[in-house]
Amino acid sequence: MHSRFAPPLFALLTALALPVHADNYSVPKNHAFEEECASCHMAYPPQMLHADSWRAMMGNLSRHFGSDASLDEKRRTAITDFLVTQSGGRKTGDTRDARGTPLLRITETARFAKKHREIGAATWRRASIKSPANCTACHAQAAAGDYNERSIRIPK
Ligand code: HEC
Ligand code: HEC
């Protein structure tokens, strides 16, 4: 009898032990997104950009940060719908630049700058990191949506 109740209690205690600000950015399951958008880099969380940013990016995939990431129309539409539906709400903040153009990079958003203000330019350029977009270099559990302080390790 006792063991039947132990696991939920343990889960509850674990949840309570997490800091209040621990946002989770796990990527909702989507086959097309995983297949097409996680081969060159990790699957970035849709929650981190505003719907307008995703629409702008998905409207110009042949010129995607110097890469050609074009898709057939059916896949492009399906992935756009997924990204827009799961896109950031209140917490993402505005993901447009000063002129109102949607930003295409999570790493250019005000929220990203604020969260990473302690990281110097030389650190971003380290061979072990290469780019701010390389989240997994420092956030070991990024693939699971965990960007918490406890799982950060900045490589030398
Ligand atoms: C052919 C390779 C390739 C494919 C496929 C690809 N990307 Fe990218 N993506 C890149 C490159 C290269 C960058 C720039 C990375 C950097 O600056 O380090 C990038 C950057 C990004 C960024 C910005 C990261 C930042 O700086 O915040 C987002 C968001 C993104 N991709 C989303 C997507 C989505 C959504 C798809 C699927 C529709 C996709 N990518 C498919 C190559 C690709
Ligand atoms: C050079 C290492 C490094 C890279 C690369 C990096 N981060 Fe971070 N990130 C950090 C550090 C350090 C913090 C700050 C931890 C603190 O002070 O709370 C942080 C904080 C965060 C936070 C806030 C976590 C919280 O609990 O408040 C988020 C979200 C985040 N990063 C997302 C990303 C994403 C998304 C990417 C890739 C697009 C990325 N990071 C790339 C090192 C990095």
Side-chain angles (χ1 to χ4, degrees):
M1 204 56 189
H2 181 244
S3 65
R4 253 184 77 195
F5 292 97
L9 179 61
F10 179 75
L12 178 66
L13 290 174
T14 310
L16 290 174
L18 290 171
V20 186
H21 68 270
D23 300 328
N24 185 280
Y25 290 99
S26 52
V27 177
K29 268 225 133 342
N30 185 279
H31 184 66
F33 178 69
E34 278 162 38
E35 212 166 82
E36 309 291 356
C37 305
S39 51
C40 300
H41 46 65
M42 65 171 265
Y44 294 115
Q47 302 94 313
M48 287 193 182
L49 285 176
H50 190 275
D52 288 347
S53 294
W54 289 124
R55 282 194 198 95
M57 182 183 303
M58 295 303 289
N60 194 6
L61 284 176
S62 60
R63 291 167 63 202
H64 180 80
F65 306 99
S67 291
D68 183 353
S70 336
L71 296 170
D72 65 59
E73 195 50 25
K74 205 171 146 217
R75 280 238 136 165
R76 193 185 70 81
T77 311
I79 295 172
T80 306
D81 287 350
F82 164 71
L83 290 169
V84 166
T85 308
Q86 302 297 336
S87 62
R90 183 170 50 85
K91 282 190 301 190
T92 319
D94 200 358
T95 66
R96 294 163 179 274
D97 68 15
R99 282 161 45 218
T101 311
L103 293 167
L104 302 184
R105 284 186 181 271
I106 296 160
T107 53
E108 280 177 354
T109 61
R111 185 180 166 84
F112 187 92
K114 187 172 153 230
K115 295 284 183 189
H116 298 87
R117 61 176 173 250
E118 281 161 29
I119 301 174
T123 306
W124 291 125
R125 284 194 300 264
R126 280 179 197 164
S128 53
I129 298 169
K130 293 189 205 77
S131 159
N134 190 11
C135 321
T136 45
C138 304
H139 296 280
Q141 305 299 323
D146 170 8
Y147 292 87
N148 217 273
E149 246 181 292
R150 283 172 293 120
S151 11
I152 298 174
R153 208 196 109 259
I154 301 180
K156 294 283 164 224

